[in-house]
Amino acid sequence: MAVVCLGACGGGGGPIPIDQLGPRVEQVLCDYDVRCGSYPDVATCLTAVTDTTPQLVADVKSGKTLYDATKAGACLDAFASFGCNKSSMNMTPPACDEAFKGTVPVDGACADAQQCASSRCDLTMCVGTAACCMGTCIAAPVTVAEGGACGLDATCATGTFCFASGGTSTCKRKGGAGTACVSSVSSIECASGLTCVTSPGTTARACGAFALTGEDCQRTDGACDAGSDFCDPTTNKCVPRGAPGADCVANNITGCLSYARCEPMTLKCVARGALGAPCAQGSDCSSGQCTNAVCVARPTRAICP
């Protein structure tokens, strides 16, 4: 269930009534981000979080989507034990994929993927519209085992990835530590907690550990283990992202913590503005967008009944 971040947050706390889903997810997300160093406190984080659940709540109340409050709570609870580093991330608990189930069949009208029994809604015709816009439920992709052909409508089974070579795409087993990397996308071909690492002084690449704080991140394609670190382009080392007041590198959008940005005139991290704060561009705002020099909420698509 990719929606509402149930697969990327912290602890829950029992069954979640559908009307409480949005606030609970926001709280869980911010608890995780504060624990992992992306925000200084929950209050600051909450100013930057947007509730993405209104359409989903309407879907459940209309019966287009079935909702299991106990599994939603179990999903959030499971993430309480998740680590902040890439090497300690766990697999998404099954409860997260089981909390919602669409009832609309293939070719039926849909406002979002959670309405579809296939969990796929073609909304290409709705891009850029703020009005209620209905797409069409499309068939779910088939799951392909290792060695099978893969593509847009054929996804690889857990533990494998789609490897393209010579005009064909085949499901290939993800590699453990020391397994040679063969594709150009290092994040997909190694087992969970590993990435492609270039051996010193060579071009040979194999699955290995993410770069720790202070280590060479050029070898790991810029991937640092800690989510609160970034790969410093001047040193090619993983270093902590800066809080407001810290030095930063111009035009580097990853050098400051989530609630800050790099001010090019001073080369200092400065806090992004809350809604109502003055701004010159969208990156000045902690959430929403910059309109007429003021941070305002982004327009949301109307809820479809």
Side-chain angles (χ1 to χ4, degrees), residues 123-188:
L123 291 166
T124 53
M125 69 292 294
C126 297
V127 175
T129 179
C132 170
C133 180
M134 302 297 287
T136 304
C137 290
I138 57 178
V142 297
T143 300
V144 179
E146 181 179 3
C150 51
L152 181 62
D153 293 313
T155 59
C156 295
T158 301
T160 65
F161 73 102
C162 193
F163 174 61
S165 177
T168 62
S169 297
T170 306
C171 291
K172 180 180 176 66
R173 177 66 50 182
K174 292 193 174 190
T179 303
C181 292
V182 291
S183 80
S184 60
V185 186
S186 61
S187 62
I188 65 169

Side-chain angles (χ1 to χ4, degrees), residues 37 40 240-248 255-261 268-271:
R241 301 176 194 272
D247 294 335
C248 58
C256 302
L257 289 170
S258 300
Y259 65 99
R261 62 176 179 81
K268 296 286 186 181
C269 292
V270 297

Side-chain angles (χ1 to χ4, degrees), residues 211 215-224 231-232 236-238:
E215 291 186 344
D216 178 10
C217 45
Q218 191 172 37
R219 295 177 53 224
T220 57
D221 298 333
C224 298
C231 188
D232 187 337
N236 289 323
K237 304 288 185 182
C238 287

Side-chain angles (χ1 to χ4, degrees), residues 47-139:
T47 65
V49 174
T50 301
D51 184 3
T52 61
T53 64
Q55 180 64 60
L56 180 58
V57 172
D59 296 343
V60 171
K61 291 184 175 181
S62 70
K64 293 180 179 178
T65 300
L66 304 180
Y67 175 61
D68 189 319
T70 299
K71 288 182 178 178
C75 172
L76 293 181
D77 286 339
F79 282 92
S81 61
F82 270 34
C84 299
N85 292 8
K86 295 182 180 69
S87 58
S88 60
M89 288 293 183
N90 298 306
M91 297 296 290
T92 301
C96 298
D97 295 322
E98 298 168 353
F100 299 105
K101 179 61 179 176
T103 63
V104 180
V106 171
D107 293 331
C110 54
D112 58 34
Q114 278 65 45
Q115 293 182 350
C116 300
S118 63
S119 297
R120 295 182 76 194
C121 178
D122 181 4
L123 291 166
T124 53
M125 69 292 294
C126 297
V127 175
T129 179
C132 170
C133 180
M134 302 297 287
T136 304
C137 290
I138 57 178

